[in-house]
Amino acid sequence: MSEEECPKCVVATAMGFILKICGESLSDKIDCKELTGQYLRGEINADQVVKKIKRAARNDPELMANLNEIDRIRKTRKIES
């Protein structure tokens, strides 16, 4: 199945990567487990999750570049630009 056939799959995968980055690189700045739980329970949406994670990562240019690229994929639902 190609990404065009499953845009929700692309979004879900992108969110998985964003949350993984949170847990691996930002756990000292933000409660990534709680944030993931809130997202999975539907208490906050994907845009709110990304905003909170980007806020925590704002002082790390390399991490921000990775988050921005993954967020672009999430929003466009396309792997390549």
Side-chain angles (χ1 to χ4, degrees), residues 1-79:
M1 178 177 283
S2 72
E3 65 197 44
E4 289 79 23
E5 296 174 44
C6 188
K8 288 183 180 181
C9 299
V10 174
V11 171
T13 301
M15 286 305 296
F17 277 113
I18 288 170
L19 291 166
K20 183 172 176 63
I21 288 172
C22 183
E24 290 179 351
S25 302
L26 298 169
S27 60
D28 60 330
K29 296 179 182 175
I30 186 171
D31 186 345
C32 299
K33 287 185 179 187
E34 177 60 25
L35 189 62
T36 300
Q38 290 174 332
Y39 174 67
L40 293 175
R41 290 188 299 270
E43 295 170 4
I44 59 175
N45 65 34
D47 289 332
Q48 292 168 313
V49 170
V50 172
K51 184 177 181 178
K52 288 181 180 200
I53 291 172
K54 283 184 175 181
R55 190 177 313 130
R58 69 182 174 268
N59 294 325
D60 185 332
E62 185 177 338
L63 192 56
M64 279 300 293
N66 289 335
L67 287 167
N68 286 333
E69 177 61 14
I70 295 167
D71 197 30
R72 182 198 60 77
I73 291 168
R74 178 183 71 89
K75 288 178 180 175
T76 64
R77 295 173 169 80
K78 294 183 181 185
I79 303 298

